[in-house]
């Protein structure tokens, strides 16, 4: 990734009030991009958007991606060079309770964004962020590659698979190289952690809530294996994809995986144990498997060979480093630090390649 590429670029970012969107907005600001955010109000209290003053050096508006007319007007008014689409209903367990809203947001919201981009001539690159759960997960031991089948057992996972199919169809129908209308790609990441995530039913968020309150922390699926990675890892990949589309484009649609190295594919129990240990309270962890829990994937891995070969992308922080950085962030928050500065410092450390 070339930070100087982003200086002065106009970037439209949906989901800037969320966890990943907030980190991406701050990183773009740090590199000198002109950022405009379009999103609902922050989804939790507390939240990264408020704590890290994400809106301080960008323009933004509250808007619903299900409203095509409003989003189209916002895009045309800002006339961006690059669009990142992160706005979504992001929780697996929540999707069981609100399936209609999940599909409306994750599928039709993606349709609306792509349709709005189609009517905005300034856009050179559009990056649609989905999830590693977009794949038809057969609980196999090998990692999924970009050409594997889309699918999903639950409403959330299937909505992300559907969003991938929508993106591919729009890319092939309206953004092919011969049309000269800019390029579209989709990107998929592993289980992302980092400071500022307070979402319901996310492991790190649940652990931090309990640890900061001095309470026991309970995990329900200790043996599930996930591709854990710090939020900055996939964000660096998203930025590289967008730069690639701008520099080499217009290009045909394609998907990209951004997952951790094999050693970071660990169980929930291993993740929780190290988090509690680094916080200084290993005795807080309680393992209580829930036999009545809704279905969630037990084994899920991503193959990022394509990004490594064609974009020269590499993960920089291993399993221990990504948890240590995250614990460091929450400890700084608990101690009353300037969290915008703490977040920007972690971005700077990542850029330098420092793991400690």
């Amino acid at each position: 990734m070339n930070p100087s590429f982003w200086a002065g670029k106009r970037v439209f970012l949906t989901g800037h009030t969320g966890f990943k969107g907030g980190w991406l907005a701050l990183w773009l600001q740090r590199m000198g991009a002109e950022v405009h955010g379009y999103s609902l109000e922050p989804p939790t209290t507390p939240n990264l958007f408020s704590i890290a003053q994400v809106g301080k050096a960008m323009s933004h508006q509250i808007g619903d991606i299900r409203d095509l007319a409003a989003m189209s007007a916002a895009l045309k008014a800002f006339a961006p060079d690059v669009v990142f689409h992160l706005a979504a209903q992001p929780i697996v367990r929540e999707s069981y309770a609100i399936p209609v809203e999940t599909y409306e947001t994750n599928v039709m919201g993606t349709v609306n964004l792509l349709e709005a981009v189609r009517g905005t001539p300034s856009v050179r690159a559009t990056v649609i962020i989905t999830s590693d759960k977009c794949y038809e997960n057969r609980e196999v031991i090998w990692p999924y590659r970009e050409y594997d089948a889309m699918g999903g057992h639950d409403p959330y996972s299937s909505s992300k698979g559907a969003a991938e199919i929508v993106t591919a169809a729009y890319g092939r129908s309206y953004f092919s190289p011969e049309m000269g209308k800019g390029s579209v790609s989709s990107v998929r990441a592993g289980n992302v952690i980092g400071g500022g995530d307070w979402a319901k039913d996310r492991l790190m968020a649940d652990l931090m809530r309990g640890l900061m309150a001095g309470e026991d922390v309970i995990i329900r699926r200790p043996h599930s294996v996930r591709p854990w990675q710090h939020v900055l890892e996939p964000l660096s990949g998203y930025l590289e994809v967008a730069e690639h589309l701008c520099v080499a484009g217009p290009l045909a649609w394609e998907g990209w995986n951004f997952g951790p190295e094999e050693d970071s594919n660990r169980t929930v129990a291993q993740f929780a144990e190290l988090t509690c240990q680094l916080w200084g309270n290993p005795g807080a962890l309680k393992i209580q498997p829930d036999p009545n829990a809704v279905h969630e994937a037990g084994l899920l891995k991503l193959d990022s060979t394509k990004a490594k070969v064609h974009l020269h992308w590499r993960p920089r922080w291993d399993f221990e480093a990504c948890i240590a950085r995250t614990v460091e962030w929450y400890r700084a928050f608990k101690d009353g630090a300037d969290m915008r500065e703490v977040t920007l410092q972690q971005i700077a450390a990542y850029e330098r390649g420092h793991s400690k």
Side-chain angles (χ1 to χ4, degrees):
M1 186 185 64
N2 176 16
S4 64
F5 168 84
W6 293 97
K9 288 292 188 296
R10 296 176 65 81
V11 182
F12 190 93
L13 174 61
T14 73
H16 69 288
T17 60
F19 165 56
K20 287 174 72 175
W23 276 91
L24 181 55
L26 285 174
W27 200 346
L28 287 165
Q29 291 171 35
R30 170 180 162 78
M31 294 187 293
E34 297 179 43
V35 185
H36 183 80
Y38 184 95
S39 183
L40 297 176
E41 295 282 357
T44 62
T45 301
N47 59 80
L48 178 68
F49 181 76
S50 301
I51 289 167
Q53 303 174 66
V54 173
K56 184 177 179 179
M58 62 181 286
S59 60
H60 60 99
Q61 67 188 92
I62 299 303
D64 194 326
I65 60 173
R66 294 173 294 181
D67 186 337
L68 173 59
M71 188 160 53
S72 294
L75 263 168
K76 289 177 182 177
F78 185 65
D81 303 298
V82 177
V83 174
F84 289 101
H85 178 49
L86 289 91
Q89 193 297 96
I91 308 299
V92 173
R93 285 167 64 87
E94 186 74 2
S95 75
Y96 282 97
I98 52 168
V100 174
E101 182 177 335
T102 297
Y103 288 113
E104 287 177 342
T105 302
N106 295 354
V107 183
M108 286 309 301
T110 301
V111 172
N112 289 343
L113 184 280
L114 289 166
E115 187 66 13
V117 168
R118 193 159 73 97
T120 308
S122 65
V123 180
R124 297 167 59 195
T126 301
V127 180
I128 305 296
I129 287 79
T130 64
S131 168
D132 58 345
K133 295 177 181 63
C134 68
Y135 292 106
E136 181 63 41
N137 189 357
R138 297 179 174 86
E139 304 281 349
V140 292
I141 60 172
W142 54 81
Y144 292 98
R145 296 182 177 180
E146 286 85 352
Y147 54 73
D148 284 324
M150 299 292 109
H153 180 281
D154 55 87
Y156 169 79
S157 301
S158 61
S159 75
K160 288 300 188 178
E164 284 283 353
I165 294 171
V166 163
T167 303
Y170 259 81
R172 291 162 177 158
S173 300
Y174 305 115
F175 298 96
S176 59
E178 55 270 24
M179 292 181 178
K181 288 188 175 181
S183 306
V184 172
S185 282
S186 56
V187 293
R188 307 128 191 189
N191 276 53
V192 174
I193 67 168
D197 186 7
W198 278 278
K200 179 182 177 183
D201 289 328
R202 285 233 185 95
L203 179 58
M204 181 58 82
D206 288 344
L207 289 170
M208 284 297 126
R209 272 190 286 267
L211 290 168
M212 286 192 287
E215 300 172 348
D216 288 345
V217 290
I218 299 172
I219 58 173
R220 62 182 183 272
R221 294 180 180 273
H223 305 300
S224 294
V225 175
R226 294 289 185 271
W228 307 105
Q229 58 188 152
H230 193 275
V231 64
L232 293 174
E233 301 281 21
L235 293 186
S236 71
Y238 304 168
L239 290 165
E240 288 193 35
V241 167
E243 182 180 340
H244 173 65
L245 295 179
C246 287
V247 173
L251 300 172
W253 167 86
E254 57 184 326
W256 300 87
N257 285 345
F258 295 98
E261 301 291 9
E262 177 66 26
D263 187 59
S264 290
N265 294 313
R266 306 285 187 94
T267 67
V268 168
Q270 289 173 311
F271 180 100
E273 287 165 0
L274 180 56
T275 301
C276 292
Q277 177 185 337
L278 290 175
W279 189 263
N281 189 6
L285 180 62
K286 308 296 180 187
I287 297 176
Q288 295 180 7
D290 182 0
N292 299 314
V294 296
H295 177 273
E296 292 187 54
L299 178 63
L300 183 58
K301 300 179 182 181
L302 286 181
D303 185 315
S304 303
T305 302
K306 179 181 175 181
K308 292 176 179 178
V309 171
H310 295 290
L311 298 177
H312 308 292
W313 175 86
R314 292 288 188 281
R316 297 187 179 188
W317 289 351
D318 62 16
F319 178 72
E320 288 76 15
C322 78
I323 294 182
R325 284 290 185 177
T326 304
V327 169
E328 171 188 86
W329 194 100
Y330 283 102
R331 191 176 298 282
F333 168 71
K334 188 173 186 295
D335 292 341
D338 179 338
M339 296 314 297
R340 180 181 175 86
E341 184 60 27
V342 169
T343 308
L344 289 171
Q345 286 175 358
Q346 289 201 343
I347 293 171
Y350 182 85
E351 287 179 338
R352 295 191 302 268
H354 292 180
S355 62
K356 303 296 183 183

